[in-house]
Amino acid sequence: DLENESFFANLHDENNDTLRLINYCPVAEDTGNRCKEHSDYGAITLLSTDGISGLEAFHEGSWYPVPHVEGSLVVNIGSLLSGWTRKTLHATLHRVAGPASLNSKSPRDDIINASKSKRTSLAFFADPNESVSLSLQGDQENMLKDTLNGMSITEYIQFRSGGSGVNRSGVGFTDDEKNRIDREGAKFSS
């Protein structure tokens, strides 16, 4: 149960994780987002950045810069963990802004300068075991099932990452996260 300090660790012990090196090429000054608005789909994401500006998090209708602190990691809450906690922890809605991104609170000069540089991030996505729904009981199972909409962990991750092969598109938000953004009146640029 959730009172057990090993509860989440026991549901993440099958190495169903992903480590990605993400590169962003320099872009023109009329470019919108270098990475579209989205939430991560798993439990948590640990992100190391190179200090090039552009990473922003959504709060109260605007996108705020995530400060770079040398030697630190950015921790994002994923949609599955948000669902598991009945949204006590909200999924981190984030993007990498470009010079033409809407609703950005980042200093424009920082974003323009960043757009002229290559940007690199290293992301570790911690996703639960593929069979995790079989390990849950009662309320815990219901919390996760609401998030998964009847899909297995594997199906959900494939759905959120846009499928497989050359036709991958990516699904930026869950319906609940989209409603959160709509309530706060945000506009998007791509």
Side-chain angles (χ1 to χ4, degrees), residues 7-190:
F7 175 77
F8 287 109
N10 292 336
L11 299 175
H12 290 79
D13 62 2
E14 293 177 356
N15 300 317
N16 191 28
D17 308 309
T18 305
L19 181 65
R20 288 190 189 139
L21 179 63
I22 306 167
N23 289 297
Y24 303 89
C25 296
V27 296
E29 285 191 31
D30 62 350
T31 301
N33 296 332
R34 294 172 83 176
C35 179
K36 74 179 183 176
E37 299 97 344
H38 68 284
S39 66
D40 298 332
Y41 42 77
I44 63 168
T45 301
L46 304 176
L47 182 70
S48 176
T49 68
D50 61 4
I52 301 295
S53 297
L55 181 62
E56 295 181 331
F58 183 76
H59 181 68
E60 296 181 352
S62 293
W63 295 91
Y64 291 88
V66 175
H68 175 76
V69 178
E70 188 69 36
S72 67
L73 295 173
V74 175
V75 179
N76 288 337
I77 302 299
S79 297
L80 288 176
L81 184 56
S82 180
W84 240 326
T85 63
R86 290 197 171 125
K87 298 175 187 48
T88 299
L89 300 172
H90 286 283
T92 309
L93 308 179
H94 58 286
R95 70 182 184 184
V96 177
S101 295
L102 298 177
N103 296 323
S104 177
K105 298 294 183 183
S106 294
R108 181 146 171 77
D109 286 347
D110 288 356
I111 297 299
I112 288 172
N113 289 335
S115 73
K116 297 174 185 176
S117 300
K118 184 177 110 174
R119 184 178 189 284
T120 304
S121 297
L122 184 64
F124 177 78
F125 300 93
D127 297 325
N129 301 343
E130 291 180 13
S131 61
V132 77
S133 56
L134 303 175
S135 310
L136 303 176
Q137 300 170 1
D139 263 0
Q140 301 157 357
E141 182 180 18
N142 292 333
M143 287 185 283
L144 188 58
K145 280 185 177 175
D146 289 345
T147 303
L148 294 173
N149 293 322
M151 293 179 261
S152 70
I153 294 291
T154 303
E155 291 167 333
Y156 180 78
I157 290 171
Q158 187 173 18
F159 164 71
R160 283 296 307 275
S161 63
S164 60
V166 297
N167 295 322
R168 281 179 68 140
S169 62
V171 177
F173 303 112
T174 64
D175 289 342
D176 180 67
E177 293 160 0
K178 179 74 169 92
N179 291 337
R180 191 168 123 207
I181 290 168
D182 290 344
R183 280 192 308 272
E184 296 183 28
K187 294 186 177 14
F188 294 96
S189 67
S190 51

